[in-house]
Amino acid sequence: MRSFTNPFTAPAPRQAAQKLRIAVVGAGYWGPNLARNLQASPEWDLVAICDLDLEKARRLAATLGDIPVVESLDELLDTFDVDAVAIATPARTHHGTVMTALRAGKHVLVEKPLADSRAHGLEMVAEAEANGLILMADHTYCYTPAVLKMQELVQAGSLGEILFVDSTRINLGLVQPDVDVFWDLAPHDLAILDFVLPGGLNPVEVSAFGADPLGTGRDCVGHLNFRLPNDATAHVHVNWLSPTKIRQMVIGGSQRTLVWDDLNPQQRLSVYDRGVNLDRQPQSAGERAASAVSYRLGDTWSPALPEREALSQVVEELALCIRSGRQARTGGESGLRVLSVLEAATRSLTLDGHPSKVAGAAMAGSGVEMEEVL
């Protein structure tokens, strides 16, 4: 294999003009989407597909011009000179696969969630940092035009002070063999909140309620609740059993409310200048109780959004990070914050919904991280 060059040094002009070389590990559900976007990108040269099921890998490779296929990651790393690997395998395999790639000096893009545990995620992030490598979580929604616009509006203060977040991700979906509905669906919403909210995703504790009405052995319906700064609240509803499919997030602010409806391509984002008029409310509790609530009834508008595939932006981001040495917008730290909330949710489920502390979250006002979870 060629020797590894630290990407955090300025790239040579020759390197900047060349395509970066990459292989996809995993030819199942998500791997073909990654492979197609990498093949179409001017930044990348897709050199191989890796999967334990060689026939599946060959079928995918045939759609891309019969590129080479290999059965194992070790064979891939020994045979091909690549700059990066894109990993689309089950979460339980992420730690071993990512660590092998990082130790071989390869940059890594890995499907959500980052790992199957926070401890494994911490090891992966530390390995990438120690070797000066890019570790990027494929939080695809964060690269959609709609979510990029949400981030712009929220962080510019267009909504005012955030008062609540209500997110719904439900469908009649496949019950996963290795994870519950929280670990399958909620990473999307948690990654979006980490991307959009000022300060990212940093709840001190979470409460989770789940149900398994089918007797599958894992929760198929779930509700996740946690506090945001300034006593705001967030609620995430996930469900595999709904006959209707909903992908919606409502972010309510003191000035405006933002509604994202991912299944409405004509109007994915709506901004409502309607709500409770907080400026007119009395100050004392007694005055509030005796006063009528004042409402604001303003305009509704929908930002114009370009139409482009988010995964094309994901693979472009990976290339830009490798060439420039900057961290990805959805790097390992973002993946860790999502993992920390998911683990706290799992603990809360074992406590009948009682709050569970989030490891690594900064205690309010202290700047101290909580690593011990009782």
Side-chain angles (χ1 to χ4, degrees):
M1 298 181 189
R2 67 179 173 84
S3 60
F4 170 67
T5 302
N6 189 330
F8 289 87
T9 59
R14 181 187 60 82
Q15 181 185 24
Q18 290 179 332
K19 284 189 174 185
L20 296 163
R21 293 166 59 83
I22 194 167
V24 170
V25 180
Y29 170 70
W30 198 242
N33 295 318
L34 280 169
R36 174 173 50 81
N37 279 274
L38 288 163
Q39 182 80 320
S41 171
E43 298 284 348
W44 291 103
D45 180 12
L46 178 62
V47 300
I49 303 292
C50 175
D51 197 285
L52 292 174
D53 186 337
L54 279 177
E55 185 54 40
K56 184 185 296 183
R58 290 190 185 102
R59 289 196 298 270
L60 173 57
T63 68
L64 303 166
D66 288 318
I67 63 175
V69 301
V70 293
E71 189 174 10
S72 72
L73 180 59
D74 287 339
E75 181 184 357
L76 170 70
L77 296 173
D78 287 340
T79 306
F80 296 94
D81 178 19
V82 296
D83 299 286
V85 294
I87 296 171
T89 59
R92 66 180 182 276
T93 69
H94 286 181
H95 176 256
T97 307
V98 170
M99 292 294 282
T100 298
L102 292 173
R103 287 167 179 161
K106 311 305 177 185
H107 305 283
V108 174
L109 171 66
V110 60
E111 185 183 0
K112 65 83 186 169
L114 183 70
D116 59 349
S117 71
R118 184 172 187 273
H120 281 163
L122 282 168
E123 288 184 29
M124 291 154 57
V125 170
E127 187 70 25
E129 290 178 351
N131 290 283
L133 292 162
I134 300 298
L135 173 61
M136 179 177 169
D138 182 9
H139 293 161
T140 310
Y141 275 102
C142 298
Y143 297 88
T144 61
V147 174
L148 288 166
K149 189 65 175 182
M150 289 166 64
Q151 182 197 51
E152 176 188 327
L153 292 170
V154 171
Q155 298 198 7
S158 298
L159 307 186
E161 182 181 347
I162 301 302
L163 304 179
F164 70 90
V165 174
D166 199 343
S167 189
T168 303
R169 185 172 296 271
I170 66 176
N171 56 267
L172 192 61
L174 179 66
V175 175
Q176 299 297 319
D178 56 344
V179 294
D180 63 18
V181 71
F182 290 98
W183 282 78
D184 181 40
L185 296 183
H188 295 299
D189 305 277
L190 296 174
I192 290 169
L193 291 179
D194 186 64
F195 189 73
V196 167
L197 295 176
L201 184 69
N202 190 36
V204 173
E205 60 184 19
V206 303
S207 297
F209 303 86
D212 178 23
L214 300 184
T216 64
R218 57 188 56 82
D219 289 316
C220 299
V221 181
H223 294 267
L224 180 62
N225 300 285
F226 50 89
R227 295 278 182 187
L228 299 172
N230 302 316
D231 207 33
T233 62
H235 171 244
V236 178
H237 174 204
V238 288
N239 188 343
W240 281 330
L241 307 182
S242 170
T244 58
K245 183 174 182 178
I246 300 175
R247 299 283 186 269
Q248 187 176 83
M249 181 178 290
V250 182
I251 303 178
S254 57
Q255 297 178 16
R256 297 176 185 85
T257 294
L258 176 65
V259 178
W260 171 53
D261 184 353
D262 190 49
L263 302 185
N264 183 358
Q266 283 74 41
Q267 191 170 327
R268 282 201 169 92
L269 285 186
S270 300
V271 181
Y272 294 83
D273 188 13
R274 289 186 274 167
V276 176
N277 195 338
L278 300 178
D279 294 338
R280 298 182 183 178
Q281 295 306 300
Q283 297 302 309
S284 71
E287 288 175 325
R288 284 198 297 271
S291 175
V293 174
S294 173
Y295 293 95
R296 181 182 66 260
L297 301 175
D299 293 334
T300 301
W301 61 283
S302 180
L305 300 172
E307 284 294 329
R308 61 173 181 259
E309 187 171 1
L311 260 182
S312 68
Q313 306 303 303
V314 171
V315 301
E316 180 180 323
E317 169 82 350
L318 179 62
L320 288 173
C321 290
I322 292 172
R323 294 192 191 282
S324 68
R326 70 167 173 83
Q327 291 298 318
R329 287 178 286 177
T330 56
E333 293 293 339
S334 172
L336 277 178
R337 289 189 290 271
V338 171
L339 282 179
S340 298
V341 172
L342 290 172
E343 284 203 341
T346 298
R347 287 191 297 270
S348 177
L349 291 170
T350 67
L351 300 172
D352 294 325
H354 289 287
S356 175
K357 300 295 183 184
V358 178
M363 297 179 64
S366 70
V368 177
E369 288 192 351
M370 298 182 301
E371 291 296 341
E372 296 293 334
V373 179
L374 300 179

